[in-house]
Amino acid sequence: MLDYVYGQDELVAQFVAQLIPHVRGYGFAKGKAIGVIDAQGRLIGGIVYHDYNPQSGVIMLAAAATSPRWLTRETLRRMYEYPFAQLGVQMVAQPTPADNERLLRQLAALDYMFVLVPRMFGRERDGVLALFTREAWQKSKFIRRPDLRLEEAA
Amino acid sequence: MSLRYVYGQDETVRFVAQQIPHVDRGFPADRLSIGITDASGRMVAGIVYYFWNRKNGTIEIAAGALPGVRWFTRETIRRALDFAFTQCRCQMVIMRVRGEDERLLYQLARFGCTFIALPRLYGRDTDGVMCLLTDDAWAAHPAASPKIREAA
């Protein structure tokens, strides 16, 4: 059984930054974060939202965990509820090393679109800017969402 | 017009943010800058460097200028890119540009930038372009300083 922690943005951001090699030592710009806690009360995963641009409706997302058990449907629901349902962004962007095939497969299954960026993570390491639009989130069969009829009526 | 260059002033960062409509929230705190003034000391243009990632060797760059001012000279370009490639020791400079800004894209193409189209970067109906300039591409350009050409 997982639990979710809000309001501990800095702590969760540091945890996530430590788990991502290309972010370690730099951290994230100030933003919101959600921590994922296991049954023993240990922080096993985190989601960080940063560089939110309200004008363009784009936010960056980074996520990492120490256990594969963190990525449940409930985690996915919460991961995208904050940017799409609460902030109302039109797109979430997630820079990812091109050699991280496991993550790219997961993102592809969610219907992210990929843009290859040469040398993004170093002279010899390309990156992929993974983009998840609001429409893709609304159509995704893996992610539970709030009632869209209510959202549209609001 | 004689131009002067000032480094590391907050005024430059504010100036550039004011010139670029989509930079409504300013730049991140750990930014660097070069301001460009005319002979009377009036700021006419500025360049801001941000998201400097030393490990990846990348840095993002944004520039803004007063309309009608001739600031985008060979000397300005040389200083702007030498700062990123020589002083910051980056392997690539990244500039995000609105897809509709054809004039700027044309200028950037002349320096050997590679363009990556990014759908919806500036909003649901406004695409962007990520312009990438590598140290190799810059070293091959005639405007690059001899030091960079030798290093390549």
Side-chain angles (χ1 to χ4, degrees), chain B:
Chain B
M1 184 170 64
S2 174
L3 299 175
R4 291 176 186 165
Y5 301 88
V6 289
Y7 290 75
Q9 290 196 352
D10 279 347
E11 186 196 344
T12 304
V13 178
R14 284 194 293 272
F15 175 90
V16 174
Q18 283 167 3
Q19 307 301 319
I20 306 176
H22 56 260
V23 186
D24 58 336
R25 285 161 55 106
F27 292 97
D30 55 344
R31 68 272 163 133
L32 303 162
S33 68
I34 303 175
I36 298 146
T37 69
D38 63 12
S40 67
R42 180 180 66 131
M43 187 161 288
V44 295
I47 302 155
V48 177
Y49 304 85
Y50 59 106
F51 291 159
W52 179 13
N53 188 311
R54 291 165 177 82
K55 192 170 181 182
N56 298 344
T58 57
I59 199 164
E60 298 214 14
I61 186 170
L66 295 179
V69 174
R70 195 174 164 273
W71 69 282
F72 202 60
T73 61
R74 214 165 235 246
E75 176 62 11
T76 301
I77 294 157
R78 189 190 63 75
R79 281 178 184 256
L81 295 174
D82 276 2
F83 185 80
F85 291 126
T86 308
Q87 293 199 38
C88 298
R89 305 176 74 86
C90 286
Q91 54 92 12
M92 188 166 74
V93 167
I94 301 167
M95 190 170 190
R96 295 186 226 175
V97 178
R98 294 176 88 90
E100 67 216 18
D101 195 344
E102 290 178 12
R103 187 164 166 267
L104 180 54
L105 290 170
Y106 173 74
Q107 288 175 327
L108 294 172
R110 290 174 54 202
F111 292 100
C113 281
T114 303
F115 294 156
I116 311 281
L118 288 180
R120 300 166 58 143
L121 183 64
Y122 294 105
R124 198 183 292 266
D125 301 310
T126 312
D127 295 342
V129 176
M130 198 181 234
C131 305
L132 311 176
L133 183 64
T134 63
D135 53 358
D136 306 321
W138 173 235
H141 194 273
S145 68
K147 208 190 315 180
I148 289 185
R149 279 204 294 275
E150 281 165 20

Side-chain angles (χ1 to χ4, degrees), chain A residues 56-133:
Chain A
S56 57
V58 178
I59 196 166
M60 308 288 273
L61 182 152
T66 54
S67 162
R69 285 179 296 115
W70 84 296
L71 200 57
T72 62
R73 286 207 169 210
E74 177 60 13
T75 303
L76 280 175
R77 182 187 73 77
R78 289 177 187 252
M79 186 182 295
Y80 297 105
E81 188 178 83
Y82 172 69
F84 288 121
Q86 290 188 43
L87 292 180
V89 304
Q90 55 95 7
M91 189 166 72
V92 166
Q94 200 167 337
T96 306
D99 51 15
N100 192 344
E101 291 178 13
R102 186 163 170 262
L103 176 57
L104 291 173
R105 264 200 308 274
Q106 290 173 336
L107 298 178
L110 292 173
D111 212 12
Y112 270 69
M113 62 176 147
F114 295 152
V115 178
L116 181 70
V117 181
R119 292 168 64 150
M120 188 185 203
F121 291 99
R123 196 181 292 274
E124 312 292 342
R125 201 174 187 204
D126 296 343
V128 170
L129 204 50
L131 306 172
F132 193 46
T133 64

